[in-house]
Amino acid sequence: MKLAFIGTGYVGLVSGVMLSHLGHDVTCIDLVQEKINQLKQNLSPIYEHSLEKYIEKCATAHKLHFNCGYDKKLADQDAVFITVGTPPKSDGHADLSYVYAALDQLLEFISENCVIVLKSTVPPGTSRQMQEYIAKKGRGNKVASNPEFLREGSAVYDFLNPERIVIGAGSDLAFTCMRAIYKRFDDQGVPIVETDFTTSEMIKYASNTFLANKIAFINEMADLCEKMGANVKELSHAIGLDSRIGAAFLKAGPGFGGSCFPKDILALQALTKQVGSQSLILDAIIEANSKRPGVIIEKIEKIVGTLAGKLVAVYGLTYKAGTDDLRSSPAIELIAKLKAKGAQIQAYDPMGNENAAAVLAPEEICADAYLATEGADFAICATEWPEFKDLDFGRIYNNLNQPVLIDLRNFLDHKKVENAGISCYVVGLNLSKSD
Ligand code: UGA
């Protein structure tokens, strides 16, 4: 089938490239010429594990094309996916202006049979309104809602191993088109959930909110474990063995970040209030996560004393491992709070250093983890990059003024750190040395 993707961000680029890998003829469109130039050289403008390999394979097979802007090449597409950003407005509501701008543009070129697939995360009701908008313009194009569940960092894997595909539509044409696009997964027995527009959109928000809820909950348990002398890692493991709870998303840490959870929960909260429904749980998740950096700073102060005048080595800047994305990163929020307390920063991230240039001063960004600890008073590990596990902690011990490492992700080999003479502290264990 011939498919086009409008917007080559994390969602559009991965989905477009991978649908091309599954055999479709895909054109990825963006308005930023620089991104398209990069993509035409088989270079990805975002870091996503193994994505460039698939870009090169599909482009070489002439199954993947890149285009700057909209033109008559859209005329013979079977479906066009809208995958542009829906950033939060100041009132928390999702800004749909990019979605509608894309829609207006593509309507000028697509045929009447082309299905318009809304893949950007949009508030419940948007696809239905879009269908009405198209009809008012005198066009017969059908809309489908098709939320995505890919995680940054493992998006290629997630795409190839979906646990479900959700399709919301109001017409046989749209359902048939979507089933054909995802036929490979349908044949493999992947559940395809077919529903109405609004339920499809609600599923996306409810999924992200439920996952964020698990994280907010385990972070609260982690704080309690610290006070009670219990171990949150063992607690997570044990409660996760109950299939009604499930093991995923029970890692305590510095709070959830990224471009999705914080934005989506705010949008759902705004919508809930707008329609006069109660948002008690949403409110609590938002409040718990927004207070998380403050809780972590208090924890750090209990360990190292006053932060004023201290030089802090920070390992990890991205909102999680496996990405170069710094959006709503807990590490960046912590750095801002550390600085507000009078501390100075030397930070290193395996993938995020380049993007960090927009938020940190050049002297705050170090080329490796050892340089970040040179002359530092103590170190914090804010992102769970696997390579931090293999650091030479003896070297780090020599670099630090105060041999203290605070593992906010509770993922390092704490015995290894302590054997190097460094006191290792973690989230969710009593504030003494971890055993
Ligand atoms: C999330 C969802 O997991 C995807 O299914 C969804 O498609 C995506 O949002 C989206 O809406 O586009 P993502 O933001 O890439 O994916 O990252 P996650 O792996 O879900 O992590 C989100 C945040 O939660 C990170 O800051 C991570 O460190 C934190 N987290 C995650 C924890 O603190 N503990 C956990 O146990 C898991």
Side-chain angles (χ1 to χ4, degrees):
M1 293 174 78
K2 293 199 81 169
L3 311 175
F5 281 76
I6 313 296
T8 60
Y10 287 91
V11 177
L13 188 59
V14 176
S15 307
V17 171
M18 297 316 290
L19 280 170
S20 166
H21 167 68
L22 293 189
H24 297 296
D25 186 281
V26 174
T27 303
C28 292
I29 295 169
D30 206 287
L31 296 179
V32 181
Q33 182 73 56
E34 201 188 323
K35 278 192 185 187
I36 296 299
N37 292 347
Q38 254 182 290
L39 286 163
K40 282 185 171 170
Q41 295 169 52
N42 299 336
L43 298 172
S44 171
I46 52 159
Y47 171 73
E48 191 59 54
H49 180 66
S50 73
L51 185 62
E52 281 186 351
K53 186 183 84 185
Y54 286 99
I55 293 177
E56 184 172 6
K57 176 192 155 263
C58 298
T60 309
H62 305 292
K63 285 278 190 187
L64 181 63
H65 324 276
F66 301 104
N67 210 39
C68 187
Y70 307 81
D71 60 29
K72 56 182 188 310
K73 280 180 238 142
L74 281 169
D76 60 351
Q77 301 295 320
D78 295 303
V80 178
F81 286 70
I82 297 182
T83 52
V84 296
T86 51
K89 294 195 282 194
S90 55
D91 60 2
H93 283 286
D95 179 355
L96 297 177
S97 57
Y98 299 107
V99 170
Y100 274 92
L103 176 65
D104 284 337
Q105 289 281 317
L106 65 92
L107 278 174
E108 287 183 25
F109 297 101
I110 57 174
S111 74
E112 287 281 318
N113 286 331
C114 176
V115 172
I116 299 169
V117 187
L118 195 42
K119 206 168 191 35
S120 303
T121 300
V122 291
T126 306
S127 299
R128 188 179 38 78
Q129 284 155 11
M130 187 178 263
Q131 186 68 82
E132 289 162 8
Y133 178 86
I134 292 166
K136 267 195 203 133
K137 287 201 148 201
R139 298 292 302 263
N141 296 88
K142 298 301 179 199
V143 173
S145 156
N146 177 218
E148 64 86 26
F149 302 101
L150 309 176
R151 292 164 299 172
E152 283 182 30
S154 51
V156 168
Y157 174 87
D158 289 349
F159 186 92
L160 293 171
N161 300 276
E163 291 183 342
R164 81 297 209 189
I165 288 163
V166 176
I167 301 165
S171 64
D172 287 343
L173 179 80
F175 277 125
T176 307
C177 171
M178 296 307 287
R179 260 182 247 130
I181 291 172
Y182 289 114
K183 184 173 182 314
R184 173 84 70 94
F185 295 124
D186 201 9
D187 292 347
Q188 287 170 6
V190 173
I192 311 264
V193 180
E194 295 189 352
T195 182
D196 59 85
F197 288 134
T198 308
T199 307
S200 167
E201 292 160 338
M202 282 288 293
I203 289 167
K204 168 70 186 186
Y205 276 112
S207 296
N208 275 1
T209 304
F210 191 84
L211 293 171
N213 189 24
K214 282 185 98 174
I215 301 167
F217 171 79
I218 204 65
N219 285 340
E220 198 160 299
M221 290 301 107
D223 292 344
L224 188 56
C225 281
E226 280 176 20
K227 297 230 157 61
M228 301 304 294
N231 182 335
V232 78
K233 215 168 171 178
E234 290 170 12
L235 180 141
S236 293
H237 173 65
I239 65 172
L241 289 172
D242 184 331
S243 62
R244 292 170 303 173
I245 296 174
F249 281 72
L250 285 179
K251 288 198 192 96
F256 59 79
S259 64
C260 304
F261 284 0
K263 163 182 84 79
D264 292 353
I265 303 165
L266 277 179
L268 193 58
Q269 184 196 44
L271 183 81
T272 307
K273 291 190 193 307
Q274 186 189 322
V275 298
S277 198
Q278 281 204 330
S279 61
L280 303 176
I281 293 172
L282 294 172
D283 296 347
I285 300 169
I286 292 165
E287 190 181 356
N289 203 56
S290 68
K291 288 192 169 157
R292 195 73 192 143
V295 170
I296 298 287
I297 291 289
E298 269 178 38
K299 197 186 302 287
I300 295 172
E301 282 177 322
K302 274 192 198 148
I303 298 167
V304 300
T306 179
L307 288 165
K310 294 253 163 73
L311 180 58
V312 189
V314 180
Y315 295 159
L317 295 168
T318 51
Y319 76 95
K320 64 172 188 175
T323 177
D324 60 355
D325 197 342
L326 263 63
R327 286 176 289 177
S328 297
S329 170
I332 301 297
E333 286 178 39
L334 278 174
I335 286 176
K337 284 212 174 317
L338 288 166
K339 289 205 233 175
K341 292 265 180 184
Q344 288 178 305
I345 300 299
Q346 286 182 167
Y348 164 70
D349 190 282
M351 278 295 159
N353 269 5
E354 205 179 312
N355 287 340
V359 282
L360 298 181
E363 63 275 15
E364 292 175 322
I365 306 169
C366 300
D368 66 41
Y370 303 107
L371 288 171
T373 42
E374 258 179 28
D377 287 295
F378 67 96
I380 296 173
C381 190
T383 309
E384 72 288 20
W385 283 101
E387 69 175 71
F388 293 153
K389 286 184 175 185
D390 301 324
L391 287 171
D392 177 349
F393 291 102
R395 216 172 136 189
I396 288 169
Y397 171 83
N398 289 332
N399 283 358
L400 290 172
N401 290 336
Q402 196 180 350
V404 166
L405 195 159
I406 304 168
D407 174 9
L408 298 178
R409 298 282 184 165
N410 204 340
F411 84 113
L412 295 172
D413 179 344
H414 304 129
K415 285 220 167 78
K416 190 174 162 189
V417 177
E418 299 224 317
N419 286 343
I422 302 173
S423 296
C424 188
Y425 295 86
V426 299
V427 164
L429 265 183
N430 206 348
L431 286 186
S432 58
K433 283 186 184 180
S434 63
D435 62 313

